[in-house]
Amino acid sequence: MRTSLYLLATTRETPADAVVVSHQLMLKAGLIRKLAAGMYTWLPMGLRVLHKVTNIVREEMNNAGALEVSMPVVQPAELWQESGRWDIMGDELQRFKDRHQRDFCLGPTHEEVITDLVLNEYNSYKQLPVNIYQIQTKFRDERRPRFGVMRAREFIMKDAYSFHIDKTSLQQTYDQMYATYQRIFTRLGFHFRAVLADSGNIGGSCSHEFHVLADSGEDLIVFSDNGDYAANMEMASALAPADLDVSAATRSMQKVATPDSKSIEDVAAFLQVQPSALIKTLIVLAETDTASVQPSLIALVLRGDHQLNEIKAGKLEGVRSPLTFATDTDIQATLGCLPGSIGPVHLNIPILVDRDAAVLSDFVCGANSDGFHLRGVNWKRDCNYLRVEDMRNVVEGDLSPDGKGVLSIKRGIEVGHIFQLGNKYSKAMNAKVLDENGRNTVMEMGCYGIGVSRIVAAAIEQCHDEKGIIWPDNIAPFHVAIIPLNAHKAPQVLEVCEQLYKELAAVGIEVLLDDRDRKTSPGVKFADMELIGIPHRLVVSDRGLESGAIEYKHRTKPDSEMIAQGEVVKYLRDLIKC
RNA sequence: CGGAGUGUAGCUCAGACUGGUAGAGCACUGCCUUCGGGAGGCAGGGGUCAUGGGUUCAAAUCCCUUCACUCCGACCA
């Protein structure tokens, strides 16, 4: 391609509304333009990258035996009503009516459609397992789209769905997809981790997320420094504390006035103790089957310096899911005091205690009386609780639950997620096949997503410098940029460029020839090619040609080198691995 | 959905407090010079100052409405 015939939409200024570096660079390099909040046009340069990513994903999925289809973006409400998600999903499901007043939605995902397809087309266990995928535009009306294509409302996703006669078969495909994802993200040149994940709304049991490690990532991922354990923050657990003698009370309980001290920090400072010597008591709604006037409450107790993990807490028996904090009014009505002074001593609601809070002795807690706390409190002697549970977020330095090493926490961008759905959708939608005994059997399902458009942003987050993007060869929009210098003085410069252009194209190397006229200064050409992130650069100049040489420079290397004109094609062909 | 903020040229922004002919830089067009790291000169084109209403002799500017967008938080397969 020649720049004179291309849409080279680079800008000098950084658009004001871009916060993260990938968003800024995608706009500056002319890869995308915003149409509306969370909706982007892919310009020619960006689309080339997107297609490279898409092709890698497609190749690996095909190699794994998956079958590609394309399902509609618009889906009828009936399917979503069958699965029950029409009512469960919030406003991120974009609903609308057609001219006949029939309900439709924009597909945020395609479990319903694929299940409907498979239940019609597949009838026998002999046809299973099957893994069907598409690379398709999705729409989710995110409450807060941000970071460009990283969290867009309209985005491109590879979504695959597998169907099985039993759980063993599902596990096999799940393992195969796990390995396929490892290959895909390795080919994309990512520094990534697979972590145990919560399956959330989509349902199912076993689930892994694949994260690209990047400081701008929205998710926290946790992994052991000396073992295989890796999980996202929602799922991560630390090793349970060893059983300590919780009866080792050395102090008597004492009520102290703590005026105006409501937070853990305030109370710790006021009483001159560490936050870890305090406990905090959070009041949430209990699981109830009757809509009583006053909701029943449950207390969750944590060590003062620990944070509640709302996902883990929401899964605890007796706790309403999703986790819902009680209002101050409810707390006042039931407990007679406000948050800031609540504690487990003589508390008249069920109490669940985090494992690390349960091994404290002589601790400080609220006195259930506004403005007062208790010191020297001990579990066995002074309080009753229902159960000990794991309900806190892990922190850096916690022991790994597998007993190997310590936990570290890093930020990640979720680029892939695989789930074992089980029969959630197949059962709801009556997706059955005949088994070998001729009996109708509900199929087991797995689903496997990759955020294709997000991958482009993640790659930039992971590889850029102050000049711009640095693409790996695999997904670069062009492999090589050719920049002619002094072409107006020496006609042979352009001739050599044209010849190189043809020769490189002939061996499958993608070239962008910057043939903009002399009004575009060399500095502008260098800067543009660096901003766009083309990994290899050739400079053809009258000076170099005098000695029969062409200058080569890699985007990541500080210095260039001179290469004999006749060697250039071979040199690049050996260098570029695609 | 709560809190905060911003809408003026394609982009980045000034002008607003204190009402009085619409501005700069970049980008774009033409000519000249320059030519290995975002060149210089001259001359141009381009804005219904987000929208609707109000106050005023006069509104980009003051007041109100609506909309859009951004940030923080909550939320999120």
Side-chain angles (χ1 to χ4, degrees):
Chain A
M1 180 51 66
R2 291 166 166 77
T3 53
S4 59
L5 303 175
Y6 208 61
L7 177 55
L8 210 59
T10 56
T11 63
R12 203 172 291 194
E13 311 256 14
T14 302
D17 54 6
V19 182
V20 294
V21 69
S22 59
H23 188 196
Q24 293 172 349
L25 288 175
M26 288 180 82
L27 291 165
K28 281 185 81 172
L31 270 47
I32 56 168
R33 286 291 182 261
K34 185 171 80 172
L35 179 65
M39 297 160 65
Y40 292 87
T41 295
W42 288 80
L43 302 182
M45 193 69 75
L47 192 62
R48 285 184 77 99
V49 178
L50 193 63
H51 284 160
K52 296 270 177 106
V53 174
T54 304
N55 287 340
I56 289 175
V57 171
R58 179 177 285 122
E59 269 179 40
E60 293 296 337
M61 290 302 292
N62 289 346
N63 286 344
L67 308 176
E68 186 172 9
V69 297
S70 178
M71 294 180 269
V73 174
V74 173
Q75 306 179 12
E78 285 77 13
L79 285 179
W80 287 75
Q81 285 156 350
E82 269 186 62
S83 72
R85 291 206 290 181
W86 185 258
D87 298 318
I88 292 169
M89 298 271 294
D91 285 338
E92 68 269 16
L93 181 65
Q94 180 74 59
R95 290 160 244 245
F96 63 95
K97 289 181 191 294
D98 71 1
R99 64 165 71 196
H100 305 294
Q101 301 304 305
R102 287 189 286 248
D103 288 310
F104 285 86
C105 63
L106 294 178
T109 178
H110 283 71
E111 280 82 11
E112 283 81 358
V113 180
I114 192 75
T115 304
D116 181 64
L117 176 76
V118 169
L119 76 85
N120 284 313
E121 306 301 329
Y122 285 75
N123 310 300
S124 161
Y125 76 97
K126 291 178 188 169
Q127 296 170 290
L128 301 184
V130 63
N131 190 358
I132 299 178
Y133 78 99
Q134 65 175 348
I135 296 170
Q136 176 65 282
T137 296
K138 302 281 188 276
F139 191 92
R140 296 178 192 173
D141 193 7
E142 293 278 353
R143 289 177 188 203
R144 192 171 158 210
R146 59 183 138 179
F147 304 155
V149 298
M150 247 178 15
R151 178 164 294 273
R153 292 197 289 176
E154 184 176 306
F155 59 100
I156 296 170
M157 186 172 173
K158 186 282 297 176
D159 49 326
Y161 307 88
S162 68
F163 292 81
H164 310 268
I165 191 68
D166 57 28
K167 288 189 163 61
T168 310
S169 170
L170 169 59
Q171 184 68 46
Q172 282 167 0
T173 298
Y174 187 85
D175 292 343
Q176 184 194 30
M177 280 296 107
Y178 187 100
T180 299
Y181 276 35
Q182 300 267 6
R183 273 196 297 279
I184 290 171
F185 296 125
T186 301
R187 273 184 73 180
L188 289 167
F190 281 147
H191 184 210
F192 70 98
R193 286 295 296 245
V195 304
L196 277 171
D198 180 56
S199 47
N201 279 0
I202 200 165
S205 48
C206 182
S207 168
H208 285 86
E209 288 172 355
F210 289 77
H211 285 267
V212 169
L213 302 181
D215 290 338
S216 58
E218 290 187 276
D219 300 307
L220 290 173
I221 60 174
V222 176
F223 51 90
S224 157
D225 63 355
N226 186 27
D228 294 333
Y229 184 76
N232 67 11
M233 183 55 88
E234 294 174 346
M235 281 288 286
S237 285
L239 192 65
D243 280 340
L244 298 180
D245 185 359
V246 292
S247 64
T250 61
R251 301 181 55 164
S252 56
M253 189 164 73
Q254 179 196 0
K255 187 171 180 178
V256 289
T258 49
D260 302 323
S261 297
K262 288 190 174 162
S263 68
I264 291 291
E265 292 70 28
D266 290 348
V267 175
F270 184 79
L271 297 176
Q272 302 207 311
V273 295
Q274 293 299 314
S276 58
L278 273 63
I279 60 164
K280 62 174 133 190
T281 307
L282 305 169
I283 308 299
V284 300
L285 301 190
E287 217 164 20
T288 44
D289 42 11
T290 54
S292 54
V293 179
Q294 194 174 314
S296 48
L297 306 182
I298 204 160
L300 306 178
V301 178
L302 293 155
R303 207 171 79 186
D305 58 331
H306 286 156
Q307 295 288 321
L308 181 70
N309 181 312
E310 297 189 22
I311 301 292
K312 287 198 274 186
K315 289 180 187 168
L316 297 177
E317 189 189 336
V319 175
R320 185 176 297 183
S321 180
L323 189 82
T324 313
F325 285 100
T327 62
D328 286 4
T329 317
D330 292 337
I331 293 171
Q332 177 79 52
T334 308
L335 307 181
C337 68
L338 287 171
S341 302
I342 307 171
V345 180
H346 302 311
L347 196 63
N348 57 0
I349 58 174
I351 300 172
L352 301 180
V353 185
D354 183 67
R355 300 179 309 190
D356 292 85
V359 296
L360 293 179
S361 54
D362 296 331
F363 55 84
V364 174
C365 67
N368 299 318
S369 168
D370 288 332
F372 290 91
H373 279 74
L374 298 170
R375 308 188 68 146
V377 183
N378 286 275
W379 285 114
K380 270 190 186 165
R381 189 188 66 197
D382 306 320
C383 353
N384 288 311
Y385 55 79
L386 197 59
R387 294 193 312 273
V388 175
E389 297 280 7
D390 171 19
M391 62 176 87
R392 72 172 173 92
N393 279 337
V394 300
V395 294
E396 190 99 21
D398 276 339
L399 296 176
S400 174
D402 59 8
K404 295 174 193 163
V406 228
L407 297 180
S408 311
I409 300 174
K410 286 207 167 144
R411 292 202 156 265
I413 301 166
E414 183 188 345
V415 289
H417 200 161
I418 59 178
F419 304 78
Q420 292 191 21
L421 295 176
N423 59 17
K424 175 175 170 171
Y425 297 91
S426 46
K427 199 172 176 184
M429 299 179 67
N430 206 26
K432 294 175 178 172
V433 291
L434 291 180
D435 68 11
E436 54 196 322
N437 300 313
R439 277 191 288 263
N440 266 318
T441 307
V442 174
M443 289 182 275
E444 294 286 327
M445 281 178 69
C447 103
Y448 319 93
I450 287 182
V452 174
S453 42
R454 177 181 282 184
I455 278 174
V456 177
I460 295 170
E461 287 293 330
Q462 205 171 275
C463 213
H464 64 272
D465 62 14
E466 67 286 346
K467 291 175 177 170
I469 302 168
I470 304 173
W471 295 113
D473 290 346
N474 266 350
I475 56 173
F478 295 93
H479 300 125
V480 180
I482 299 179
I483 299 180
L485 287 186
N486 291 332
H488 59 288
K489 280 188 194 163
Q492 75 269 31
V493 167
L494 264 188
E495 287 164 20
V496 171
C497 286
E498 292 290 344
Q499 191 190 337
L500 276 173
Y501 182 89
K502 285 185 196 128
E503 289 173 7
L504 288 166
V507 297
I509 292 175
E510 294 165 330
V511 183
L512 184 61
L513 171 58
D514 198 345
D515 62 345
R516 285 178 288 179
D517 67 18
R518 58 188 294 197
K519 285 192 169 181
T520 304
S521 72
V524 169
K525 293 182 178 180
F526 292 145
D528 274 346
M529 294 304 133
E530 283 161 346
L531 173 60
I532 293 164
I534 296 174
H536 306 274
R537 183 184 84 188
L538 295 175
V539 177
V540 178
S541 68
D542 50 347
R543 261 190 246 160
L545 289 182
E546 281 171 17
S547 54
I550 285 167
E551 177 187 309
Y552 167 79
K553 182 181 173 302
H554 191 267
R555 177 69 177 78
T556 58
K557 302 275 167 53
D559 300 313
S560 58
E561 53 191 299
M562 299 307 291
I563 298 183
Q565 197 180 328
E567 299 295 314
V568 168
V569 174
K570 180 180 184 306
Y571 186 86
L572 283 176
R573 200 176 47 191
D574 292 346
L575 206 59
I576 296 170
K577 305 269 187 290
C578 283

